[in-house]
Amino acid sequence: MRIAIAGAGNVGRSIAQELIGNGHHVMLIERQPRQLRPERVPEADWVLADACEVSSLEEADVAGCDVVIAATGDDKANLVVSLLAKTEFAVNRVVARVNRAENEWLFTEQWGVDVAVSKPRLMAALVEEAVTVGDLVRIMTFRQGEANLVEITLPANAPYVGEPVRSVPMPRDSALVAVLRGKRVLVPTPDDPLEAGDELIFVCTSEVEDAVRAVVLGKTGDLG
């Protein structure tokens, strides 16, 4: 994919390095000359420009990008970049960094944001995921709440431990997309058995989260 990242600070550069390592073509857009350090990520295309200006985005050919990531340290700038990317250049996927938790409510479809990444929320979810067994933990929200990435770590007394995946009656609008078992990441097939301690990763809508929890952990969710 061709990906544009607005903001070449520590966060933007780290994202760029990760994406380049995964084989994507990355362009870093930075308005501060002192932050323009191509030697830090030499594989990326570097552009000195203000990503909040339509003319700058035109010159950078943002319309030809598959994804735009608004990764500056300024929430106002990230909202403007997101809105321009979506409305002026019809970028398919816009991801925005939320710096201040109190601004998270602004990062919606109305501002062109497909995925908002809030560091406080993400960190809290990762802490919950690391210590929680037998409950549903929301890790990330996609498309403004239309779908969520959630995790459940199976306790030993969950009803489908030892049963194949096909035995689990998944609610509508939900899918089991991965099973983390020790150091392995498994793409589940219908015949794969579930084991105590498995971390089950689902994509589902908010409306069916309770139903997913009830099915996987038992109708009442009582782990007694």
Side-chain angles (χ1 to χ4, degrees):
M1 291 189 296
R2 187 167 185 263
I3 302 169
I5 301 174
N10 291 331
V11 172
R13 293 197 304 269
S14 296
I15 296 170
Q17 289 170 332
E18 188 75 20
L19 291 170
I20 289 169
N22 290 335
H24 301 295
H25 183 89
V26 175
M27 171 175 57
L28 279 161
I29 305 172
E30 175 56 52
R31 70 183 182 87
Q32 297 285 355
R34 59 185 174 80
Q35 292 277 32
L36 206 70
R37 298 178 179 177
E39 71 279 1
R40 297 285 183 92
V41 191
E43 303 89 350
D45 294 333
W46 287 74
V47 177
L48 179 62
D50 186 347
C52 292
E53 296 287 342
V54 172
S55 58
S56 297
L57 298 178
E58 285 178 343
E59 290 180 15
D61 190 25
V62 165
C65 292
D66 302 291
V67 181
V68 165
I69 302 173
T72 79
D74 184 334
D75 284 343
K76 295 189 295 295
N78 289 343
L79 286 170
V80 172
V81 170
S82 299
L83 185 63
L84 292 177
K86 184 65 72 174
T87 60
E88 297 292 328
F89 299 97
V91 174
N92 184 54
R93 193 73 166 165
V94 177
V95 180
R97 171 188 176 188
V98 184
N99 295 278
R100 298 178 65 87
E102 60 266 31
N103 294 332
E104 192 172 355
W105 65 277
L106 289 166
F107 286 74
T108 65
E109 279 186 337
Q110 285 68 35
W111 280 95
V113 179
D114 293 308
V115 178
V117 181
S118 168
K119 288 195 292 183
R121 172 173 289 188
L122 184 58
M123 288 179 68
L126 292 174
V127 168
E128 284 190 276
E129 187 273 333
V131 302
T132 303
V133 176
D135 202 358
L136 182 146
V137 177
R138 184 181 296 176
I139 297 174
M140 186 175 288
T141 297
F142 301 107
R143 298 194 67 82
Q144 311 314 313
E146 291 178 22
N148 299 315
L149 187 70
V150 302
E151 183 266 355
I152 297 176
T153 299
L154 281 182
N157 60 345
Y160 294 100
V161 169
E163 299 291 329
V165 169
R166 67 172 178 271
S167 298
V168 183
M170 293 301 302
R172 61 175 177 79
D173 298 328
S174 65
L176 175 63
V177 295
V179 176
L180 309 184
R181 182 174 295 159
K183 295 183 179 180
R184 301 178 62 198
V185 178
L186 308 176
V187 178
T189 67
D191 294 326
D192 288 334
L194 299 176
E195 298 180 4
D198 281 351
E199 295 182 52
L200 308 184
I201 307 298
F202 299 90
V203 174
C204 63
T205 61
S206 299
E207 289 77 10
V208 301
E209 283 183 0
D210 287 342
V212 170
R213 180 191 290 109
V215 166
V216 174
L217 299 175
K219 292 299 182 183
T220 64
D222 183 3
L223 304 179

